[in-house]
Amino acid sequence: MFDLAATDGTVRKKAYKSPIPDGGEAPAKGRRVNKLDGEGMVRMHHRLLDYYTTELDRQHNNRAQQAEDEAYYDNEQWDEEDADEVRDRGQVPLVYNVISASIDWVTGTERRARTDFKVLPRRKTDGKSAERKTQLLKYLSDTNREPFHISRAFEDQVKVGLGWIEDGVRDDSDDEPTYTRYESWRNMLWDSASTELDLSDARYVFRSKWADLDIAQALFRNRKALLERSAADSDAYSQLDQYGDDAMDDVENAIQNNGQSTTSARITGYQRRRVRLIEGWIMMPVETKRIRGGPFNGEIYDQYSRAHGDAVARGEAELITRMTMRMHVAIFTTAGMLWFSESPYRHNRFPFTPLWGYRRGKDNMPYGMIRRLKDIQQDINKRASKALHILSTSKIIMDEDAIPDDMTVEEFLEEASRPDALIRKKRGSEVTLNADRDLSQYHLELMSRSIAMVQQASGVTDELLGRRTNATSGVAIQRRQDQGSMATARFFDNLLLANQIHGEKLLANTEQYFTEEKTFRITNMRGKAEFIDINDGLPDNDITRSKADFIMSEGAFHASMRQAAAEQLMDVMTRMSPELAVLFMDLVIENMDLPNREELVKRIRAVTGMADPDAEEPTEEEMQRQSAQQQGQQMQQALLSAQLRKAEAEATKAEAQAAELREKIVALRVGAQQQALGAAQTAIAFPAATHVADHILAGSGFISVEDAAAASQQPMAAAPPPDGKQYGLMQMAA
């Protein structure tokens, strides 16, 4: 709460110096007067104190019920008056804490399936910077133990209907500049006139805390006298009744009443002096310089930001002055102001993020799951106590003279209450023991019905708790589980919204305050360390010169929906061919709640060659794989080119051989023609020799062209006579 204040009471370097509102007094000449004591600051103090006390009155009744709701979870379920009355009857105020199982299931579900996030760039060129911001936020989540703080706030959300997360900046050099931490609902008051879940329409938010006087004076050294007047010790503790309520001051009352006894004060002479410090964040209309144009369009101008200055100097953006609802922060006590300035955060929002449960329709007051179950829980406790009393005591109806003369009524009752009692009575008189003993079973039956009603009202059924029920089929069990999940979905939906709002503030704070060079370590799910550099001079590693958006990637309550989608995908894939199904395997694994899910998806995509559909730019592994694929394609193309050249060479060679063969055929034909001409000339010169030549050719099997044509047109000739010699003579005669 004091991270914005330096020990000397001055504004730290990057805080915004605020003018004194309402025309505060200037120091008189020759006399040093603190500006916080000026007339304007006095009016501002009265104004803030009025807002604070007004909200304390408005929210008093609901805050008392919230404290009672929380006490029910802590097993404090009997009013003192009711418990004393039950004890006077001889009963025991039993507590059967049935509602705690429902609360534990809801809060345990949040712990089992915490949400994840990522940072996306607003411009394509800022992809690497956004990746560095994602890694930085995950590192801060680990160092600040952010998931555990959010889980504590979620517990308040479920129990009392309102939890708080704070995102701020500190000057402690031993820790990171930004932090995220839990804040108790008991210390917080907000503008009850607001209706938006993100408090965007709220005017103010207050936080009240008690601090030791010496620590407060060390923080605000210039206001020691005012803190002394504001201090309250055990002798003047009435201030708690005016500026706090039981919910806010229960812990302080325990410290004062139990930790500071009159004995310790008398022995040591020391009493722990405490002072109530109130921190207020209020929106006020003031003229403010804003940036128009460029990557920081709409932001409040920060004179200490190099990125803002460079954007204006390059002409990408310009400064404009307009009336703006500007966030201011004040720290004060009931006696006066300790601190007042503009908010040091450029996001201009409340540093506190609410986690809402249910909200009452008539006045927007929050309440949690326990509020709806308290009456049923009271009925369970009273019936259990009544049934036990009936079973462990004896109701006696007897005649007036039934007790023997040597026995008193007390002795008779004591004997009757023993399990091995021996009852003596006068002859003829009537004594009836345990007259209403059967009533216990009816109380127990109604108690069982109330226990079942707790499950119906909360939505946390036996199926969700993993208990055996009358639902036998898997479909019936799944439907009942879905029904119970829908009944509690509002808590997880509001948690998702709160995580989104909180993440936006945290991202804005990192972009504003992580301006120096830094190296940090992050680890993956297998514990492998990776060192990341930011603001080291490389444009891609500079997280201050660009804007990005915080996005929640998944919600805890989506786990069952993702699992159902994965099962449907698996069913569809069984009907596909193996070659086609493998292309969808990475998407199926991505929808499953498995350990090392990201590594499994990465390896599947490395084998199948599928790219991440959400990746803005390819990773180094994908680039290497693409390079290898390109090299393989180039080698394949070179091989195909070589084979093509070889085939072309062989085709050229074959064509040359064919041309040579054609030339030889032509030469042979020319030679044959020459021989034919020579034969023709011989035949003309010696006509008588032609018959002898024909006979020789026919005997050798030669068939002339004319004979072949005639044979194809005429039917097959009859078989020659067996006497070949006669055939030859006839041919010769012809």
Side-chain angles (χ1 to χ4, degrees), residues 445-652:
E445 181 179 354
L446 290 174
M447 175 182 169
S448 299
R449 293 185 179 181
S450 296
I451 293 175
M453 184 61 67
V454 168
Q455 294 187 357
Q456 295 180 12
S458 65
V460 183
T461 59
D462 285 334
E463 286 79 12
L464 288 178
L465 296 174
R467 299 171 181 170
R468 180 176 298 177
T469 64
N470 57 359
T472 56
S473 67
V475 176
I477 294 174
Q478 181 64 37
R479 288 181 177 177
R480 291 189 181 183
Q481 289 178 344
D482 293 342
Q483 182 181 3
S485 299
M486 292 302 102
T488 58
R490 174 175 297 191
F491 294 102
F492 295 102
D493 194 41
N494 289 345
L495 172 65
L496 186 65
L497 174 62
N499 276 326
Q500 176 67 36
I501 299 169
H502 136 73
E504 293 171 357
K505 297 175 184 177
L506 182 60
L507 176 60
N509 289 343
T510 56
E511 291 175 341
Q512 179 180 357
Y513 288 99
F514 277 84
T515 58
E516 304 298 330
E517 182 179 355
K518 181 178 180 63
T519 301
F520 57 90
R521 183 191 64 201
I522 60 174
T523 56
N524 57 20
M525 297 184 66
R526 300 188 308 277
K528 182 180 178 181
E530 181 181 1
F531 292 90
I532 308 298
D533 295 323
I534 60 173
N535 302 328
D536 57 354
L538 297 177
D540 289 342
N541 295 339
D542 194 340
I543 67 171
T544 64
R545 297 183 179 273
S546 62
K547 290 291 293 181
D549 295 317
F550 183 92
I551 303 296
M552 296 302 302
S553 59
E554 60 185 21
F557 62 97
H558 288 153
S560 60
M561 298 175 63
R562 291 198 311 273
Q563 187 66 25
E567 292 176 358
Q568 292 180 359
L569 283 173
M570 289 293 294
D571 183 59
V572 172
M573 289 176 60
T574 56
R575 304 170 188 172
M576 297 180 180
S577 62
E579 296 79 6
L580 185 59
V582 73
L583 300 178
F584 298 92
M585 185 60 67
D586 58 331
L587 299 179
V588 176
I589 301 299
E590 197 171 30
N591 277 304
M592 291 183 175
D593 293 322
L594 298 174
N596 297 327
R597 178 181 60 188
E598 295 180 358
E599 183 63 24
L600 292 174
V601 173
K602 182 179 178 181
R603 294 190 179 187
I604 292 174
R605 286 173 178 165
V607 174
T608 60
M610 303 299 293
D612 185 359
D614 297 330
E616 294 290 337
E617 296 182 1
T619 61
E620 294 183 2
E621 292 81 0
E622 291 177 349
M623 294 176 64
Q624 292 176 0
R625 185 166 61 249
Q626 291 176 0
S627 177
Q629 291 176 353
Q630 291 176 357
Q631 292 178 0
Q633 292 175 357
Q634 292 174 358
M635 293 177 63
Q636 187 175 5
Q637 290 177 357
L639 180 60
L640 292 175
S641 298
Q643 293 176 351
L644 181 60
R645 289 193 298 270
K646 181 179 179 181
E648 290 176 349
E650 291 178 352
T652 303

Side-chain angles (χ1 to χ4, degrees), residues 62 66 106-107 110-111 114-115 146-167 180-186 188 190 194-199 205 350-359 364-369 489-503 505 552 556:
N62 189 67
Q66 286 178 302
V106 177
T107 56
E110 185 274 333
R111 288 178 171 85
R114 290 188 169 111
T115 55
E146 178 182 326
F148 302 99
H149 290 283
I150 294 178
S151 294
R152 291 185 65 188
F154 183 76
E155 283 189 20
D156 289 348
Q157 176 191 3
V158 176
K159 293 177 183 177
V160 304
L162 181 60
W164 292 92
I165 304 171
E166 180 188 5
D167 292 289
T180 298
R181 62 191 176 195
Y182 157 83
E183 184 55 66
S184 174
W185 67 271
R186 295 173 177 268
M188 301 297 299
W190 75 98
S194 66
T195 58
E196 297 295 334
L197 297 180
D198 60 351
L199 296 181
V205 171
F350 294 108
F352 303 101
T353 302
L355 285 72
W356 300 99
Y358 302 112
R359 299 187 75 175
N364 287 325
M365 288 293 110
Y367 64 94
M369 183 182 292
R490 174 175 297 191
F491 294 102
F492 295 102
D493 194 41
N494 289 345
L495 172 65
L496 186 65
L497 174 62
N499 276 326
Q500 176 67 36
I501 299 169
H502 136 73
K505 297 175 184 177
M552 296 302 302

Side-chain angles (χ1 to χ4, degrees), residues 23 171 216 249 258 329 342 376 494 513 573-574 629 677 706 721:
D171 283 335
D249 296 329
N258 299 330
V329 56
E342 288 184 349
I376 306 175
N494 289 345
Y513 288 99
M573 289 176 60
T574 56
Q629 291 176 353
L677 289 174
E706 291 81 1

